[in-house]
Each structure stands twice: as structure tokens, then as C-alpha cells.
Amino acid sequence: MCGIVGYIGDREASSICFSGLRRLEYRGYDSAGIAVVTGKGLTTRKVVGNLNNMETSLDEAPLPGPLGIGHTRWATHGKPSIENSHPHLSQNNKIAVVHNGILDNYQELRKSLTAEGYAFRSQTDTEVVAHLVEKYYKGDLRAAVCEAVRQLHGAFAIGCICADSPDEMIAVRRFSPLVVGIGDGENYIASDMGAIRAETDRVYVIDDDEICKITRDGVEITDLDCNPVEREPYVIPWPADAAQKGGYKKFMHKEIHEQPDAMRACMAGRLNSVDDPIHFENIGLTVDEIKGFEKVIFTACGTAMHAGLVGRFLMDKLARIPTEGDLAAELQVRDPVIPKNTLCVVVSQSGETADTLEALRAMKRKGAKVVSVINVVDSSIARESDGVAYIQAGPEISVASTKAYSMQVLTIELLCLYFAEVRGSCPPDEIRKLKAALLKLPKQAEEVLTREPDVIEVAKKYYEKPNALYLARGVNLPSAMEGALKLKEISYIHAEAYSAGEMKHGPIALVEPNMFVTAIACEGPTYDEMVGNIMEIKARSGPVIAVSYDGDEKIPQTGVDPGGDPTDITSQPNDMIWVPRTEELTSPLIIAIPLQLLAYHIADLRGEDIDQPRNLAKTVTVK
Ligand code: M6R
């Protein structure tokens, strides 16, 4: 969604802001703007659509000046247009404001400012901030911003500059992320560390209701009552080029290939050997609490929910705790009974998803303990949780989540095994088997990635089909759901996932040669039923792609009519995606990878914009 970058120093602020905005493109946006202060006053430049338009505009007419703020906007209040794009200006055109978040009371503020004579130029909620700052500005920009934000209800990260204060930039937040980057004789603000990682690896992570005065030579952080706040710099742990494509055509492709290393990072220190107990630091739970939990609820949105659904299965099975899984938006509506001793596990890559954050707060109000499974360190969800299990996936840029999904599943697997060990709820041999399977995973993931050419051949066969069905049972039903979501997000092929047990209750009516069915049919407790389902699909002329363990001799020929017309699908062997054998409960981790590759290559063959799929934003910070 929206992104913010700001700079003060001796270099050209507009080009630093522009590069930062480029790195925020993945979040999704539909317009962009930059404002700079020079000795002569304030100048803005705005474009609708792609940042290439901004690049062309800056090439044709550079925007010089050592102080500037930039913004990418994902429309919520008012359509994408020049008027609605940020930065928004005060009435006297001396103050510029960029804002992420949503102001709940902007209509009341707009009405009263209009009555006071302020003329609005946009439909946005943000414009009220620019006018409020002008109203309160008496030569001290920080004091004016402070006074303005006291009037605001809702979520915001705000950057503000003023033509009459050319040596400072003000930034403030409540519920929307904000960091201040620390340079040498220059400083930055950003809504996301990735935007400024190429410039610095040291940032201050700003808390709610903290305001920062940023000059070339320093950063002062205070609360809204001007009490100084002491903050240690946070050192960004990933290298400057982590958010680059590194030779891959698309971020999604790179991130799929990063999974073996991410698995190693995710397990490091938590699972060292089959004989060591699992370690989890900072999850904010005592042994007694873990032993005493009587109910667990997983909640999240989208892909993160699919990881949560794997967790629902594993927590029940391994830790023997009754476990539910609810989409974050639904959890608030369902208003479930939360008995004493309930744990809520919140899953989110960004840690900023609005529905997930709301669900977390609702669960806390009801007295649940909250542990979150998060990628982005110090994000809002991480901060509001009782404990955090970081997934250690590194920056994920592609809108379609891949490595974050796998690392969410892996972290949840480790968490469930940890609970099982603490509670003594699972036979030690079973735990050892699962630990051994997890330790083998990075190598197996590498092996799966070497088989990418086979997946490309399958993709070539099906990329023009209009519909797809993904079928699985048990612990891999979420794998089917995730496979279908990946395909629809980036290829725009209509894809549905069903429990194969539901086939005969409706979806089988859709089976025909133009709908391909991806069936997860790995040997295990649901194998025979999956074989039956594949036969039913083939008998109705449905093409089947099967995901099976290496060496399976049955699935390629399942449902094939050897005596039929060789040009007919029913007589042709099933298309196979082979994966190395693992345990049933660890299989979602290995099955995810070829399904991600399949979606990727189908979308690539269709020529889609894989890293920035239409209508989608990486981080959904509005409900
Ligand atoms: O940042 P989060 O994990 O909370 O995001 C949740 C969903 O918005 C996200 O997983 C979404 O479904 C992705 N586009 C999936 O690829």
C-alpha cells in the first residue's frame, strides 16, 4: 500500500526519494509524488500510474533541493489522480505532508477547517493534516505537527516539510510503521526499512505517538508532550542487495529460490539435532502456560492464513490442544468464546495487515495470550503480541508470498513440536522422526529446485487453460489452497481449491478438458482416497497434474484408459510433479515449492506482470 521516503542532507533529495520509492513499488500504488524545499520555497511533482512516469518527468525537469519527501499512493479516499496524490499542500503552499494510514475523523476536521476558510483541493483524508499544520504553525514546525496530530483519530505515519523551516523534516506515527534512517551529515525517513537500506543499515524504529525532528546532523525523538525518548539504533540484519533481484527476472522467482537458505536460517538455534529439544526464545510463554493451554486459535489473512491452517492441523495433532483457525476478518465477526488459557497465534509476513491487527486486539481484549509468527521485525503486530516467533525469511518483495509462506509453515511446525515436547503430548520417537525430516528439508528443497525444467514443461501444457482446480486432503488441504491462490494472484486464471472429499458434493460438475486439476497425491494416510479422486476426474476427461513422492509407480497411470483413443486425455498418463519423500506432517513444506514454481511459470508464459499483479498490494493496511 502507500509508501513514504524522506531525505535531508547535501545530496539531491528528489533522487534519493525517487530511488526509495522504487524500492517500495512492490507494496502496490497507483500514483506518486515528491516535494522538495529549496532556498526559494516548496516545489512538488506528481504523477498518476507507474513510477516510470516520475522518472521521465524528473529527467526532463529535475527537482533540485536538499530536503524532500516522497510518497506512493494506493487509493482509498478518492480515485488515483494528481489532486489526490501526495504530498498534500497547505493552503499557503508552504507546508507539504505525506501520510500512510487512514484518518477516521477527517470528515469532521474537513468540515470545521472549511468553515474556517481552508479550501480543499483533493478528496483525501490526508489534506486535513496539511491545513492543520498551517493553522498551528507559528515558526516551530514540530510544535505545529504535534498540535495537528492531537486532532487526528485513526492510523498514520506522517512526514512533513515546510518552506519556512528548510533545515528540518518532521515525522510522527500512530499505528502505521515509520523508521528514521541514520546517515553521516544526512538522515532519512521511511515507512519500510527496505526503502532506505541502500543508504544506511542503521535506523530508529519509531513508536506510536512519537514525533521526530530530523536535521542533517541529528534526530530528536520525543513524545507528543515533548518529553525526550531515548532510542538505540536498530541495525538492519540483511545486506543492502537483499532487496535486489540478484540476476533473477522477477523477485518472486528469486524468493522461491531463496527457500533452502531461508529454511536453514529459520531452524538455526531452534532445531539443532534430533536429540536436542527445540528452543524458542522471546515467545513470551512460560512452561506452565504452554502446559495449561486449553484452546488455540490461528488467525491471519490470505497466504498467511494457509500457513495458519497447517498450524491448526499440527497443533491439534502434536500438542493435543483443541485448535481452530479463522480468517482475521471473520474472527472479529464470529466473536468466538475464548475460555481462560487460550492462545491466539497470529500469522503475518508484514506484521501490518489491518484485519490481522484488529483480530489480535480483539483476542487480547478477550483475555487470550497472543504469539505472532512474523517476518518484519518490530512491525505493529510483533509489538502488540505477548511474544514473537520471527520466521527469518529476509525481505520479501514480490506481492505473491512464497518464501514467507514456507517459513511461516516451518516456524509453526517448530512451534508445535516445541509445545509437544513441553506438554509431553507426542511419543518421543514421533518427534525424533519429524525433527529428522525437518533437518533434511533444506537439501530436499534444493533438489526440488533443480527440477524446475520439469515444472516448466507442465506449465507449457496448461498455461492457456481458463480454469484450474487444486485438490488435496488432510494436512495438505492448505497446500492446495495456497497453490490455487498463487495461480490466481499472478496468472489471473480462475483457480479453486477443494478438499478432495468434497469433489462429489459439487465441484466434480466443473470437470472437463479445459479445467486442469492439480492433485496432491503423496503416499500417506489419504493416499488411497486421492487415487480414487484422480480416477473420477480422468473418467470425466479432466487433465490431471499430480504431485507425488519420487518412485510412486501408481499415480502416473491412475485413471488412464490404456485401450482408449490415444489423443484423448483419458488415455494419456497424468502429468507428474515429483518431490522427495518426507513425513506426512512435513510434506506441506516440500509440496509448496513446485506449486509456487508452477504458478510462476504459467504467469510468465502468459506474459503477466508477476511482481506487481493488478489490484493487489503487498501489505494491506486498510480493512
Ligand atoms: O503481510 P501478511 O502476511 O499479513 O499478508 C497477508 C495477505 O495479504 C498476503 O498473504 C496475501 O494473501 C498475499 N498476496 C499472498 O501471496
Side-chain angles (χ1 to χ4, degrees):
M1 305 227 127
C2 305
I4 290 176
V5 189
Y7 172 80
I8 183 163
D10 291 327
R11 292 187 284 159
E12 191 167 85
S14 59
S15 64
I16 310 253
C17 289
F18 178 75
S19 317
L21 294 180
R22 270 275 189 233
R23 289 183 212 103
L24 293 178
E25 266 192 301
Y26 73 96
R27 295 168 67 102
Y29 68 101
D30 37 47
S31 59
I34 293 174
V36 294
V37 168
T38 62
K40 293 189 200 124
L42 191 79
T43 321
T44 56
R45 184 73 51 78
K46 299 182 181 189
V47 295
V48 173
N50 200 283
L51 274 178
N52 293 342
N53 301 337
M54 177 65 86
E55 188 167 31
T56 311
S57 165
L58 291 175
D59 282 349
E60 285 169 359
L63 207 53
L67 166 62
I69 48 178
H71 189 266
T72 44
R73 173 173 187 258
W74 191 83
T76 54
H77 295 73
K79 63 180 185 343
S81 66
I82 294 289
E83 300 72 48
N84 288 334
S85 58
H86 301 213
H88 287 285
L89 299 185
S90 57
Q91 179 140 296
N92 63 9
N93 291 328
K94 288 188 167 185
I95 290 158
V97 166
V98 289
H99 162 226
N100 283 3
I102 290 195
L103 303 178
D104 298 334
N105 62 335
Y106 83 100
Q107 270 161 330
E108 295 93 295
L109 291 169
R110 187 176 173 124
K111 221 158 133 196
S112 62
L113 285 163
T114 307
E116 290 173 44
Y118 290 91
F120 280 77
R121 297 177 255 217
S122 76
Q123 287 93 53
T124 64
D125 51 348
T126 305
E127 197 182 344
V128 297
V129 184
H131 294 311
L132 283 171
V133 177
E134 176 183 327
K135 177 174 161 181
Y136 296 117
Y137 183 71
K138 308 271 180 298
D140 181 345
L141 188 59
R142 174 166 55 185
V145 175
C146 240
E147 205 45 48
V149 301
R150 282 184 210 285
Q151 322 291 315
L152 307 179
H153 298 167
F156 52 81
I158 289 170
C160 179
I161 55 176
C162 171
D164 291 341
S165 301
D167 295 318
E168 64 181 333
M169 168 165 66
I170 305 296
V172 60
R173 74 157 261 176
R174 184 182 298 154
F175 304 147
S176 290
L178 177 70
V179 293
V180 176
I182 308 161
D184 189 8
E186 53 187 4
N187 289 305
Y188 314 81
I189 61 167
S191 50
D192 176 327
M193 294 177 201
I196 51 173
R197 176 61 191 88
E199 307 292 343
T200 179
D201 65 351
R202 290 189 313 136
V203 296
Y204 293 117
V205 179
I206 307 306
D207 254 325
D208 286 342
D209 291 311
E210 288 178 352
I211 186 160
C212 313
K213 176 176 167 168
I214 301 127
T215 61
R216 278 177 183 74
D217 299 318
V219 179
E220 280 173 31
I221 310 173
T222 65
D223 64 17
L224 295 182
D225 294 323
C226 292
N227 299 308
V229 170
E230 289 299 320
R231 180 70 31 85
E232 283 300 309
Y234 172 77
V235 180
I236 304 173
W238 28 275
D241 63 359
Q244 308 295 314
K245 284 193 205 126
Y248 287 89
K249 185 165 146 195
K250 298 285 172 193
F251 280 113
M252 180 178 177
H253 199 209
K254 176 183 175 233
E255 288 160 7
I256 293 172
H257 279 263
E258 283 172 341
Q259 291 179 102
D261 282 345
M263 286 171 171
R264 291 184 181 101
C266 181
M267 287 193 279
R270 291 173 174 164
L271 171 58
N272 301 320
S273 77
V274 286
D275 299 316
D276 274 349
I278 307 251
H279 299 282
F280 255 106
E281 282 181 5
N282 303 326
I283 56 163
L285 301 175
T286 64
V287 162
D288 284 345
E289 279 172 327
I290 295 172
K291 285 185 176 161
F293 284 130
E294 286 162 25
K295 175 170 172 169
V296 177
I297 300 185
F298 280 86
T299 191
C301 297
T303 284
M305 188 66 228
H306 299 152
L309 291 177
V310 178
R312 180 179 69 173
F313 198 95
L314 296 178
M315 190 61 92
D316 241 316
K317 210 150 196 96
L318 298 172
R320 304 312 290 159
I321 310 175
T323 306
E324 298 170 6
D326 276 87
L327 290 166
E330 292 297 325
L331 185 60
Q332 299 158 56
V333 182
R334 188 165 77 85
D335 188 23
V337 174
I338 300 295
K340 230 172 89 204
N341 302 332
T342 296
L343 171 69
C344 179
V345 183
V346 174
V347 190
S348 174
Q349 188 284 131
S350 62
E352 302 293 344
T353 302
D355 275 320
T356 312
L357 189 54
E358 279 298 307
L360 176 158
R361 290 178 181 152
M363 289 301 103
K364 281 190 90 169
R365 280 196 299 273
K366 283 170 174 278
K369 271 263 171 186
V370 174
V371 167
S372 55
V373 175
I374 300 286
N375 195 30
V376 177
V377 174
D378 243 345
S379 50
S380 302
I381 294 175
R383 285 150 172 258
E384 294 196 26
S385 304
D386 297 305
V388 189
Y390 284 112
I391 65 170
Q392 311 291 358
E396 187 179 70
I397 307 296
S398 164
V399 168
S401 182
T402 53
K403 63 173 178 172
Y405 168 74
S406 301
M407 297 320 122
Q408 286 160 353
V409 174
L410 180 52
T411 307
I412 289 169
E413 291 247 10
L414 293 167
L415 191 69
C416 294
L417 279 171
Y418 174 60
F419 272 39
E421 285 186 327
V422 171
R423 291 168 67 92
S425 52
C426 187
D429 279 358
E430 184 61 20
I431 293 185
R432 283 173 66 87
K433 238 173 30 186
L434 290 171
K435 282 180 176 171
L438 288 175
L439 288 166
K440 269 201 221 157
L441 266 177
K443 273 255 162 281
Q444 290 184 319
E446 277 165 0
E447 170 62 31
V448 169
L449 290 167
T450 65
R451 301 176 186 181
E452 188 169 4
D454 303 339
V455 179
I456 296 174
E457 287 312 306
V458 176
K460 280 184 185 158
K461 209 164 151 187
Y462 293 103
Y463 77 97
E464 287 173 312
K465 299 275 185 208
N467 295 301
L469 195 61
Y470 284 68
L471 295 180
R473 290 170 184 253
V475 72
N476 277 309
L477 176 55
S479 311
M481 295 163 86
E482 178 55 12
L485 178 64
K486 282 292 86 82
L487 187 69
K488 78 180 121 190
E489 276 187 300
I490 57 169
S491 73
Y492 316 136
I493 292 176
H494 172 234
E496 296 291 340
Y498 269 95
S499 157
E502 278 289 289
M503 266 297 279
K504 290 196 267 300
H505 304 286
I508 200 163
L510 296 171
V511 173
E512 50 101 17
N514 264 322
M515 188 180 72
F516 65 96
V517 180
T518 303
I520 300 173
C522 294
E523 274 168 70
T526 63
Y527 181 75
D528 291 344
E529 287 83 357
M530 286 305 301
V531 168
N533 290 122
I534 293 173
M535 292 175 89
E536 289 157 7
I537 294 156
K538 287 294 267 202
R540 287 160 184 83
S541 299
V544 171
I545 303 169
V547 182
S548 297
Y549 286 144
D550 289 344
D552 187 316
E553 288 178 3
K554 192 181 212 170
I555 297 292
Q557 294 303 323
T558 295
V560 177
D561 174 5
D565 174 357
T567 61
D568 192 285
I569 193 78
T570 47
S571 311
Q572 293 164 12
N574 299 314
D575 289 297
M576 296 304 300
I577 292 180
W578 297 108
V579 292
R581 210 164 275 268
T582 183
E583 297 294 326
E584 175 74 358
L585 296 188
T586 49
S587 62
L589 284 157
I590 210 71
I591 288 165
I593 301 172
L595 295 186
Q596 293 163 351
L597 286 172
L598 183 65
Y600 174 82
H601 285 293
I602 287 179
D604 192 37
L605 287 162
R606 289 166 73 96
E608 303 298 356
D609 187 355
I610 293 176
D611 282 337
Q612 273 141 38
R614 69 183 180 213
N615 306 336
L616 290 178
K618 179 68 179 161
T619 308
V620 183
T621 49
V622 291
K623 289 195 6 153

